[in-house]
């Protein structure tokens, strides 16, 4: 008999999961009423408990009690990453048991913030709420690929309170992946939890070695965007019955969005935060297919409240309501990645790395690859070749990449023996050294991506 899943022993987790379940059928009106009430509450809290928000709100001339509609709320200025980074204490409240955490951040500039146990319990329950949609339950057997050092002889550990087998992706060579596979044959996980990039490396190993993996119900991917080439491989290796589930979230816990039972669109969870998808004039995007920056207000963070927080993450708008599941939630077609995940060309175009995937076998001859931009107008394509990677194959890959990139950017290829992981143990697709900001002149052109 397995132990009770640890989260289910946390009353705050259980209560929030229950609330999300009950409010899952809310109408548009019920959601709008709830969000307005929460906007008034969280802004009043921030105003009364932090000097930073007090000053910001006073400057705008709007008191939290003046907020009668969501439009009133939009009179407040945005909060940027730099503002939080440089004035953390002023934007934080003295909440009991708060603890400090720091993000790695694709920009390479870590942002520190405070969380508290209640906010974190709600975070976990909100993610679980999304997983319930595809049949996941606390206590299901899961194998987890983590960018963590695991201190054991075989680089795995079994965590009974979560019923999960944790495998370190720091050791991700074929011999090691074979050990993980053997363990999985014994454990029979129902779910794989991973970063898309680490799942990809493992799925490639299975495909290349032709070795089997026990049937799974699905993959729960997070922390990175999922590229089409990754999803295709997952479906090929784990079968069409395995649901590939992805959600978008971040450390600031202001926006959370995941797939639903039926579609691969990101449904923005309205009980979690108030989320605006901004065009270059800072207005909410309403046209399907347009790209905007995610700005979000957290309803669950109190130790460091995030109000109209500019995430520098981009999403592609789809609709205000999913036809398939009926939830009247804002949906996004895809996450376009961080601003820092775009490549800038000589003429100022920005290219999303998701455009650089190949829908054929072009990448089959490469073990791993990575893009690296050091200066505008050129990009390095670094790769670890497989034995099958001949000169001809490589020239084909180069030609295809160049045609995707366009002729206003130089492509430099570089064969390497290995591509190191980031500090968090991730396989980073793009190292972007340029500082791309939303006011980058090319961003408006990114709308055409
Ligand atoms: Zn839906």
């Amino acid at each position: 008999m397995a132990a009770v899943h640890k989260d289910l022993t946390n009353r705050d987790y259980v209560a929030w999961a229950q609330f999300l379940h009950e409010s899952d059928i809310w109408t548009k009106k019920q959601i709008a009423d709830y969000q307005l009430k929460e906007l008034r509450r969280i802004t009043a809290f921030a105003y009364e408990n932090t000097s930073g928000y007090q000053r910001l709100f006073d400057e705008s001339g709007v008191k939290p009690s003046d907020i009668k509609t969501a439009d009133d709320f939009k009179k407040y200025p945005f909060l940027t990453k730099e503002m939080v980074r440089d004035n953390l204490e002023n934007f934080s409240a003295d909440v009991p048991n708060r603890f400090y955490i720091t993000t790695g951040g694709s920009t390479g500039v870590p942002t520190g913030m405070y969380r508290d146990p209640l906010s974190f319990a709600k975070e976990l329950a909100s993610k679980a709420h999304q997983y319930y949609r595809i049949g996941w339950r606390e206590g299901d057997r899961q194998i987890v690929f983590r960018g963590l050092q695991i201190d054991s002889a075989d680089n795995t550990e079994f965590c009974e309170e979560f019923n999960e087998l944790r495998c370190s992706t720091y050791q991700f060579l074929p011999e090691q992946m074979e050990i993980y596979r053997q363990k999985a044959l014994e454990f029979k996980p129902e779910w794989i939890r991973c970063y898309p990039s680490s799942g990809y490396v493992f799925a490639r190993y299975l495909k290349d070695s032709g070795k089997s993996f026990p049937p799974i119900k699905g993959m729960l991917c997070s922390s990175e965007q999922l590229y089409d080439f990754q999803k295709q491989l997952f479906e090929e290796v784990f079968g069409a019955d395995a649901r590939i589930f992805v959600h978008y979230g971040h450390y600031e816990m202001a926006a959370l969005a995941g797939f639903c039972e039926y579609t691969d669109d990101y449904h923005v969870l309205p009980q979690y935060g108030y989320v605006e998808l901004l065009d270059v004039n800072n207005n909410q995007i309403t046209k399907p297919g347009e790209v905007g920056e995610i700005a979000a207000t957290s309803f669950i963070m109190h130790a460091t409240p995030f109000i109209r927080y500019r995430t520098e993450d981009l999403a592609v708008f789809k609709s205000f309501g999913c036809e398939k599941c009926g939830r009247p939630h804002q949906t996004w077609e895809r996450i376009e990645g961080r601003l820092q995940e775009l490549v800038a060309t000589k003429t100022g175009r920005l290219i999303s790395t998701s455009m650089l995937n190949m829908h054929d076998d072009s990448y089959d001859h490469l073990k791993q690859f990575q893009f690296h931009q050091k200066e505008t107008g050129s990009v390095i394509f670094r790769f670890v070749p497989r034995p099958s990677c001949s000169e001809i194959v490589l020239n084909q890959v180069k030609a295809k990449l160049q045609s995707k990139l366009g002729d206003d950017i130089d492509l430099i290829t570089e064969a390497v023996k290995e591509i190191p992981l980031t500090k968090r143990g991730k396989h980073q697709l793009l190292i972007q050294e340029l500082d791309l900001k939303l006011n980058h002149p090319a961003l408006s052109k990114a709308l055409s991506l």
Side-chain angles (χ1 to χ4, degrees):
M1 176 77 187
V4 173
H5 191 276
K6 193 180 177 193
D7 290 339
L8 294 177
T9 64
N10 180 334
R11 283 153 79 182
D12 294 328
Y13 175 96
V14 174
W16 187 252
Q18 180 63 25
F19 165 69
L20 291 176
H21 174 70
E22 286 162 9
S23 53
D24 200 27
I25 51 160
W26 274 356
T27 61
K28 209 168 202 152
K29 169 82 168 62
Q30 283 173 301
I31 290 170
D33 290 348
Y34 178 81
Q35 290 199 317
L36 184 59
K37 196 181 82 189
E38 283 295 280
L39 287 174
R40 291 169 58 104
R41 186 188 62 77
I42 197 69
T43 49
F45 174 87
Y47 187 78
E48 285 155 22
N49 294 283
T50 78
S51 60
Y53 281 110
Q54 195 176 74
R55 206 189 61 242
L56 272 190
F57 294 175
D58 279 343
E59 278 166 12
S60 75
V62 183
K63 292 253 187 313
S65 56
D66 295 336
I67 298 173
K68 302 281 187 277
T69 66
D71 283 342
D72 293 335
F73 167 71
K74 290 178 185 172
K75 290 170 188 158
Y76 283 146
F78 294 106
L79 181 75
T80 65
K81 283 183 192 264
E82 287 76 13
M83 287 159 79
V84 183
R85 189 191 60 200
D86 299 340
N87 311 279
L88 177 65
E89 298 307 322
N90 293 343
F91 283 105
S92 298
D94 192 12
V95 169
N97 301 318
R98 73 176 194 180
F99 53 94
Y100 180 78
I101 64 150
T102 174
T103 73
S106 48
T107 52
V109 184
T111 311
M113 69 194 75
Y114 294 103
R115 279 182 178 176
D116 63 274
L118 177 60
S119 64
F120 193 54
K122 287 182 174 180
E123 160 82 354
L124 293 176
S126 300
K127 286 180 181 168
H129 170 75
Q130 298 189 137
Y131 295 154
Y132 295 160
R133 294 174 186 160
I134 59 159
W136 179 90
R137 288 293 176 271
E138 292 88 354
D140 283 358
R141 289 183 307 279
Q142 47 194 16
I143 187 167
V144 182
F145 294 115
R146 301 196 143 196
L148 291 174
Q149 200 80 40
I150 295 174
D151 207 10
S152 71
D154 63 2
N155 300 308
T156 73
E157 66 182 358
F158 180 68
C159 190
E160 194 178 358
E161 55 196 14
F162 295 105
N163 202 14
E164 68 186 26
L165 178 66
R166 296 175 177 170
C167 305
S168 170
T169 53
Y170 272 114
Q171 281 73 29
F172 229 30
L173 295 168
E175 311 85 82
Q176 188 61 42
M177 286 192 272
E178 179 56 21
I179 293 172
Y180 298 158
R181 190 186 75 88
Q182 294 286 348
K183 287 225 144 188
L185 287 173
E186 208 176 297
F187 180 55
K188 298 189 176 58
E190 295 161 280
W191 304 93
I192 295 176
R193 297 181 74 146
C194 59
Y195 303 133
S197 59
S198 52
Y200 183 77
V201 173
F202 188 68
R204 273 236 73 102
Y205 165 70
L206 293 176
K207 187 187 172 188
D208 293 344
S209 65
K211 288 181 173 161
S212 66
F213 195 79
I216 54 167
K217 291 181 182 169
M219 288 177 90
L220 308 173
C221 303
S222 61
S223 300
E224 295 167 355
Q225 68 169 320
L226 175 77
Y227 297 99
D228 285 344
F229 71 90
Q230 294 168 328
K231 190 169 168 235
Q232 281 163 12
L233 183 72
F234 295 160
E235 285 169 349
E236 188 185 331
V237 169
F238 299 110
D241 291 341
R243 178 73 198 273
I244 313 302
F245 186 90
V246 187
H247 74 253
Y248 165 82
H250 45 220
Y251 286 91
E252 295 85 349
M253 302 196 302
L256 186 70
F259 292 176
C260 73
E261 294 83 346
Y262 313 103
T263 74
D264 286 0
D265 296 328
Y266 295 82
H267 295 49
V268 183
L269 194 65
Q271 301 94 327
Y272 185 96
Y274 181 79
V275 181
E276 302 167 70
L277 192 64
L278 304 170
D279 66 14
V280 283
N281 300 314
N282 296 332
N283 294 317
Q284 165 74 41
I285 284 176
T286 56
K287 281 204 194 88
E290 284 196 354
V291 183
E293 183 187 354
I294 299 165
T297 300
S298 175
F299 295 154
I300 68 176
M301 277 288 258
H302 291 83
T304 304
F306 285 92
I307 296 173
R308 299 205 88 197
Y309 176 65
R310 302 199 77 123
T311 62
E312 300 181 15
D313 293 339
L314 304 174
V316 180
F317 181 79
K318 178 140 189 191
S319 70
F320 288 114
C322 172
E323 283 178 12
K324 292 281 164 53
C325 70
R327 290 183 187 86
H329 300 176
Q330 179 173 181
T331 66
W332 301 330
E333 197 178 304
R334 64 180 187 277
I335 304 298
E336 199 54 85
R338 269 80 181 156
L339 277 174
Q340 287 303 119
E341 284 172 8
L342 299 172
V343 174
T345 71
K346 287 176 198 164
T347 59
R349 286 187 310 124
L350 290 172
I351 299 168
S352 160
T353 41
S354 64
M355 294 293 287
L356 301 177
N357 68 59
M358 309 272 193
H359 296 285
D360 51 33
D361 59 0
S362 297
Y363 287 155
D364 277 2
H365 306 280
L366 310 178
K367 225 176 243 173
Q368 244 183 298
F369 54 88
Q370 182 177 58
F371 297 92
H372 186 164
Q373 182 159 40
K374 294 179 179 173
E375 50 193 41
T376 307
S378 76
V379 66
I380 300 163
F381 178 66
R382 193 169 287 140
F383 60 95
V384 183
R386 290 174 180 280
S388 64
C389 185
S390 63
E391 191 80 8
I392 298 167
V393 166
L394 195 58
N395 283 332
Q396 283 167 353
V397 171
K398 268 196 228 172
K400 279 186 190 161
L401 268 180
Q402 187 73 66
S403 76
K404 280 175 179 280
L405 285 163
D407 51 17
D408 54 348
I409 185 158
D410 299 327
L411 176 68
I412 303 156
T413 53
E414 202 180 286
V416 291
K417 284 216 173 70
E418 65 169 343
I419 293 174
L421 299 174
T422 65
K423 280 197 199 114
R424 289 187 179 271
K426 289 194 196 177
H427 301 267
Q428 195 173 1
L429 185 62
L430 171 69
I431 300 173
Q432 179 52 278
E433 290 188 35
L434 304 177
D435 185 20
L436 302 178
K437 284 276 174 273
L438 192 66
N439 57 10
H440 187 283
L443 192 73
S444 56
K445 292 181 192 167
L447 298 178
S448 64
L449 285 173

